[in-house]
């Protein structure tokens, strides 16, 4: 091998090393330039809340009622536990609240794409926990419930399984997963959102629907000749919020402390009571939510 060839190979190796260093430096710079959720909220003065429609957590009040429990964001009047909690968070941070339309099926992808800063009531599962984070403090614990026509046997998962009950479920939710696991004989019809699912039940296209016990209790108030049950054995899950995975702990820490205060101070129960009362549910006949 000639000296010129050796010098050429050495120069190529040196250039390759420089190139690799530049790529690494570029990636490091990009990572450093990325803002954490806490930094983005502080700089933009905006808290972006995911808005999948699901009562009693979140829905639009098209009547523009002045009854307690409403939150005005832009030109839209919102109701539900989640929006009332998020309003408290925004006020504490002295920032503006912004609602971002989405679905629970798109919750994980929306967080990863930085479309919003948190999404409520997206249940934590091992698969989801691999790619997004969850606030460790729950606002409450809730159960998977079934709403069906009066006279339908829904008290146990075995009864549902034996009857091969046709059940509407919101796609991408814990309800979908739990019914498949606990009553594999049930026939599931999947819907992108709760209102579509309820409309299908009203039209008789499904024999039952499933969501949280709180949500199905609300729905039953406007669905005559319906019953609601949390099948035994109960499937209980913490209602919290999902956020992006990131090294900066300040957003997660802020939410953890805030959720504990709002749950234990009675704020969560009061917000739920207002949501129920708005839909005409007699709150005196309801059990308090489970807070641990």
């Amino acid at each position: 091998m000639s000296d010129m060839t050796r010098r050429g190979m050495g120069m190529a190796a040196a250039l390759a090393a420089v190139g690799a260093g530049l790529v690494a430096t570029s990636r490091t710079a990009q990572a450093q330039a990325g803002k954490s959720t806490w930094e983005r909220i502080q700089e933009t003065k905006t808290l972006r809340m995911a808005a999948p429609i699901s009562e009693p957590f979140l829905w639009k009040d098209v009547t523009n009622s002045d009854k307690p429990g409403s939150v005005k964001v832009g030109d839209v009047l919102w109701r539900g536990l989640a929006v009332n909690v998020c309003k408290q968070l925004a006020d504490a941070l002295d920032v503006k609240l912004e609602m971002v339309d989405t679905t629970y099926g798109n919750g994980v992808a929306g967080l990863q794409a930085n479309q919003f800063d948190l999404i409520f009531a997206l249940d934590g599962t091992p698969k989801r926990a691999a790619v997004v984070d969850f606030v460790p403090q729950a606002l409450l614990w809730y159960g998977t419930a079934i709403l069906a026509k009066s006279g339908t046997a829904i008290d146990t998962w075995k009864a549902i399984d034996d009857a091969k009950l046709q059940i509407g479920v919101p796609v991408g939710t814990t309800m979908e997963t739990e019914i498949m696991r606990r009553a594999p004989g049930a026939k599931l019809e999947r819907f992108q959102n709760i209102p579509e699912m309820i409309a299908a039940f009203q039209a008789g296209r499904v024999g039952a629907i499933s969501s949280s016990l709180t949500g199905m209790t609300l729905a039953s108030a406007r669905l005559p000749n319906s019953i609601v049950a949390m099948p035994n054995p109960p499937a209980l899950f913490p209602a919290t919020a999902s956020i992006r995975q990131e090294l900066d702990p300040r957003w997660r820490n802020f939410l953890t402390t805030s959720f504990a205060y709002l749950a234990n101070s009675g704020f969560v129960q009061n917000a739920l009571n207002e949501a129920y009362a708005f839909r005409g549910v007699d709150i005196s006949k309801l059990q308090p939510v489970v807070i641990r």
Side-chain angles (χ1 to χ4, degrees):
M1 183 180 294
S2 67
D3 290 342
M4 183 174 293
T5 300
R6 282 194 293 268
R7 285 196 297 270
M9 292 176 64
M11 181 65 72
L15 290 173
V18 171
L22 290 173
V23 170
T25 301
S26 176
R27 289 174 179 170
T28 301
Q30 289 174 1
Q32 292 174 345
K35 302 293 183 181
S36 71
T37 300
W38 181 263
E39 292 169 332
R40 194 209 61 78
I41 291 173
Q42 296 297 325
E43 290 185 7
T44 64
K45 296 298 180 182
T46 302
L47 171 54
R48 302 170 302 171
M49 175 184 171
I53 304 302
S54 176
E55 299 186 28
F57 291 101
L58 183 69
W59 77 93
K60 296 178 182 179
D61 180 4
V62 295
T63 69
N64 286 316
S65 170
D66 59 357
K67 292 182 179 180
S70 66
V71 176
K72 191 72 173 287
V73 182
D75 296 329
V76 180
L77 197 67
W78 294 86
R79 290 187 179 274
L81 170 62
V83 70
N84 276 275
V85 168
C86 221
K87 180 65 165 59
Q88 291 289 308
L89 302 178
D91 288 350
L93 294 171
D94 194 23
V95 299
K96 180 179 68 174
L97 181 58
E98 178 183 319
M99 311 299 286
V100 181
D101 288 334
T102 189
T103 64
Y104 281 116
N106 189 52
V108 170
L111 278 174
Q112 291 179 307
N114 198 21
Q115 294 173 356
F116 36 80
D117 301 315
L118 77 170
I119 179 171
F120 286 88
L122 182 70
D123 295 327
T125 65
K127 185 175 181 180
R128 288 173 178 163
V131 291
V132 295
D133 203 358
F134 292 86
V135 180
Q137 170 64 49
L139 290 167
L140 67 138
W141 287 68
Y142 70 93
T144 297
I146 305 292
L147 182 150
K149 297 175 183 177
S150 298
T152 307
I154 55 173
D155 290 338
T156 67
W157 293 109
K158 185 178 186 306
I160 293 169
D161 190 57
D162 290 346
K164 294 181 172 50
L165 186 62
Q166 184 185 29
I167 306 174
V169 295
V171 67
T173 61
T174 301
M175 292 80 197
E176 178 187 14
T177 304
E178 286 303 307
I179 295 173
M180 290 173 62
R181 184 170 71 87
R182 296 170 183 258
K187 299 177 181 178
L188 300 188
E189 293 290 335
R190 294 166 173 83
F191 296 89
Q192 288 299 317
N193 56 61
I194 303 279
E196 287 181 5
M197 181 181 74
I198 293 176
F201 177 78
Q202 289 177 301
R205 295 197 301 272
V206 293
I209 54 178
S210 179
S211 183
S212 67
L213 179 60
T214 48
M216 292 294 89
T217 300
L218 272 176
S220 68
R222 47 198 171 94
L223 294 173
N225 302 317
S226 65
I227 56 172
V228 175
M230 189 167 62
N232 282 315
L236 288 172
F237 301 96
T240 181
S242 181
I243 56 179
R244 271 178 297 285
Q245 290 180 342
E246 51 190 10
L247 294 177
D248 187 342
R250 288 176 290 180
W251 179 229
R252 188 176 190 266
N253 291 345
F254 169 74
L255 292 176
T256 301
T257 301
S258 298
F259 283 11
Y261 173 80
L262 295 172
N264 294 305
S265 67
F267 180 90
V268 168
Q269 183 67 68
N270 184 67
L272 280 173
N273 287 347
E274 289 178 340
Y276 282 129
F278 178 77
R279 286 303 193 196
V281 176
D282 185 354
I283 61 175
S284 67
K285 297 180 180 179
L286 298 175
Q287 291 184 344
V289 295
V290 179
I291 298 177
R292 298 180 179 178

